[in-house]
Amino acid sequence: MGRTLYDKLWDSHVIRAYDDGSALLYVDKHLLHEVSTPQSFIAIEKKNRRVRRPSANLAVPDHVVSTVDRHLPIADPLARAQTQRLVENVARHDIPFIPLNDKRQGIVHVIGPEQGFTLPGIVLACGDSHTSTHGAFGCLAFGIGASECGIVMATQAIRQQRARTMRVNFVGERSPFVTAKDIALALIARIGANGAAGHAVEYAGPVISAMSMAERLTLCNMSIEAGARVGLIAPDETTFAYLRGRPMAPKGEMFERALAYWRTLPSDSDAVFDRELTLDVSQVEPHVTWGTSPEDAAPIGSRVPSPDDEAEPTRRERRRRALAYMGLKPGEALENIAIDVVFIGSCTNSRIEDLRAAAAVAAGRRVADRVKALVVPGSGLVREQAEREGLAKIFLDAGFEWREPGCSMCVGMNGDTLAQSQRSASTSNRNFEGRQGVGGRTHLMSPAMAAAAAITGHLTDVRKLTGAAS
Amino acid sequence: MTGFKSIESLGAYMPEQNIDTDAIYPARYLLLMDRDGLGPYLFRDRRFDKDGAPKEGFILDTEPFSSAEVLIAGSGFGCGSSREQAVWALTGFGVRCVIAPSFGEIFAGNALKNGLLTLALPEEMVARIGAAAQRGARFRVDLEERILCVDNEIVASIDLPEGQRMALLNGWDETDILLREEGEAISGFEAQHRMAQPWLFSEQSK
Ligand code: SF4
């Protein structure tokens, strides 16, 4: 019987298989950022251990860094200390590091692919749940906790339970402005925030084959919002073309050798998945979320649902709580919801393609009067390219703020936060209570939809603004 | 880490789905670099208002449930961010066991590293156990005997992979074990892997 991509990645990294179904896996690469690793280094050093293979790691500060004054010291003493701690830790252990003032600096899940650190066929771990992003390259990438970061650094290995496999086949023609983000939200709305728990999800089908790496990264990024620790896409010519010439990718003859191996990775045609699902993207509309879980997503033309439609009590209770938190009433049209802040950024949607999509909507228009709108590129290189392409000017002319790269308002640890009861249109991945600031209310959507909301001041079907409505 | 053998306590019920790690431990406290003493930040924004004044009605602040070492919740408990602080805050507060229909996978992995037992049980059983908790039932979670008792009646067996059970019972340091027992296997694998995929070992990425 044939093997799935997941099976191949798993099998090729088993150091030891245990009786209880778990296995010790070799970890090829480890990404580090400032927030999830201070305790990991303390654990390593308390026992006088060393990092086993420093060059298998790459560290960058991203979560707590200011997106305004890059040349100044970080104002918040705790954030400054945490960033400084990373600098010291990686120096002591000889770990490759991209410092804050380096133009390659950016969100860990943006720079991994950008630098060619992320490669097909590898096992990649990072103390961050959105590590699923990297699966877009056909590698086994998953988030781990701080203790596990310490284990990985000290041993280059991690014990894991094997996941069940699930394939989602995307078929049909997308209409304009239906992006990877909308497809991800539609999928999560259908299967639930827990719907893929215990599974490694492979995204497949003609829609995926036609996607750019940026869109694949967006889709795999959101896997964790469906409960799946691992998202996967088979590497193909799009993947290989993206990787060729990246600074940390193999070069010359070594690239060709790697390529020959990478071509063997896609799931065999007779491979059997534990679960299969088909989603017809021709039925998908641009989506927004209305609640406090990514599964609370709906087409922009619809209305806020009622908790009473939920039969199961804990689900009904969560919905009731979500609407109270969001300050919304059942039956309200989503398009009528006024917003205060727009955030275009995060590891989900801060790549150059995302900024182009948002700029295309913003061009020649103005951000609505009371709206504060931020564009935060995913990396310094994305920022530089956007400036070269004239996107930065489009944003600035339209009244957006053009920021330095980092996680920013996705998680609100760097001072970029929503105030109590403020409402955002955000291209990030989590609309949890308080995610963007205490009492802040988040509506998730694509970059083009967020730009449209910035222009009109309320949630908006971008197709109406651009004349693409059918 | 100390080992988990058995506990007896009240159960606190949060009948809610998808309680995420941002709710359990808000991101702004991730700036602290400690792992001890995080109990006060557990569910911070559910328990305290902006100025730090306690809010009414949060179950773990409501007598007699403030002493509960067992927390019962809806499916998807601990979904979202990988922050281990969610676990450290729970254990710091005194919670030793969480029962839910399902868990965020990274959260469950983190729990295991810190002596917090996560027990996944069928949804309707969790609802029943939760209702019993609300009535003040006594819980006994015994990992040696592998049983969960509610008011002295066995309601479920604890069905963990043996490796995880032993790790919890003994409070082992996993890195120690791996280096001691698997050090050679890791090196052996690494040597083979280097031959097969040399592009992963060109130490050029500095
Ligand atoms: S952008 Fe947001 S989701 Fe992505 S790594 Fe940063 S904080 Fe996490």
Side-chain angles (χ1 to χ4, degrees), chain A residues 344-375:
Chain A
I344 297 175
S346 92
C347 57
T348 313
N349 282 125
S350 64
R351 297 175 188 84
I352 189 70
E353 292 86 345
D354 300 310
L355 302 193
R356 285 180 194 139
V361 175
R365 299 191 168 93
R366 285 291 303 169
V367 170
D369 272 350
R370 347 159 269 104
V371 172
K372 172 189 169 85
L374 267 60
V375 184

Side-chain angles (χ1 to χ4, degrees), chain A residues 260-279:
Chain A
Y261 172 64
W262 297 341
R263 289 189 195 284
T264 69
L265 291 170
S267 295
D268 299 329
S269 54
D270 58 342
V272 177
F273 290 79
D274 296 312
R275 255 173 94 189
E276 290 226 44
L277 203 77
T278 299
L279 200 130

Side-chain angles (χ1 to χ4, degrees), chain A residues 62-63 107-109 128 130 221 346-347 407 410-411 429 435:
Chain A
D62 58 2
H63 280 64
I107 306 169
V108 72
H109 307 308
D128 195 284
H130 290 98
N221 174 275
S346 92
C347 57
C407 295
C410 172
V411 67
N429 41 52
R435 172 76 179 185

Side-chain angles (χ1 to χ4, degrees), chain B residues 71 73-77 97-104 108 117-126 129 148 155-161 164:
Chain B
L71 185 64
S75 60
F77 187 88
C97 170
V98 186
I99 300 172
S102 61
F103 292 91
L117 177 64
T118 56
L119 214 51
L121 296 175
E123 194 152 342
E124 51 86 31
M125 185 188 285
V126 173
I129 290 174
L148 168 68
V155 296
S157 63
I158 299 175
D159 203 15
L160 279 185
Q164 298 183 5

